[in-house]
Every structure is written in C-alpha cells, then in structure tokens.
Amino acid sequence: MISGNVSIGEGTEIGTGTSIVNNVSIGRHCLIGAGSVVTKDIPDGVVAYGNPCKIIRNNERWEKALKIDLIKRNGNEKISSINFN
C-alpha cells in the first residue's frame, strides 16, 4: 500500500505487503523487506525492513551498479580510482 506522494528509485525492489506512508522517498537499488512499514526516507543502495522500516545494511548486490552510475553521471571520474571489491 502506497499513500500519497511517494518517490521510488530505479531498480528498487519492494516486498509484498509493504506499506509506504506519505512524503517518503526510497532511493535507487534498494531492497525493502516484505511487510515493512516505511515511515522515513531510505537512501540509495541499502537493504531495509521492519515495522518501522530500518536500514539493516548496504545492498552489495547493487553496489557495483551504483558506482558505475556515479561514473556515468560525473563523467570526469576515472574508473581506476574506484574500488569494485
């Protein structure tokens, strides 16, 4: 269930039965656990779940994608300066 003005970023996955309240923004490449109640903004690239929804850890599955996105947006950053491990 989504209530009101909600922003959900590209590549974000939201579990079944999750409730998202009004005026909340969920970043790109996040994983929101099933049945969560999202009451606050969630930054890019994290795994979050619970009632209320809390950030548990970084989403390693999408970490490389976020770094590549950063390179594409900035254009002036050298790939060799980013650690992909």
Side-chain angles (χ1 to χ4, degrees):
M1 171 177 35
I2 297 177
S3 151
N5 183 27
V6 174
S7 171
I8 299 173
E10 175 187 357
T12 290
E13 299 175 17
I14 298 176
T16 305
T18 296
S19 296
I20 305 171
V21 300
N22 193 22
N23 295 324
V24 168
S25 177
I26 299 175
R28 297 175 9 258
H29 305 295
C30 293
L31 177 61
I32 307 298
S36 295
V37 178
V38 183
T39 59
K40 296 180 182 176
D41 291 348
I42 305 292
D44 292 344
V46 296
V47 174
Y49 55 83
N51 182 2
C53 190
K54 295 180 183 177
I55 297 169
I56 304 303
R57 62 180 171 83
N58 285 334
N59 188 354
E60 292 92 16
R61 176 177 166 198
W62 290 105
E63 196 166 353
K64 286 184 184 179
L66 284 169
K67 289 178 182 177
I68 291 170
D69 258 0
L70 177 67
I71 292 169
K72 287 180 182 175
R73 281 194 212 173
N74 292 337
N76 59 359
E77 191 171 350
K78 295 180 181 177
I79 289 179
S80 60
S81 68
I82 295 180
N83 180 7
F84 285 98
N85 295 325

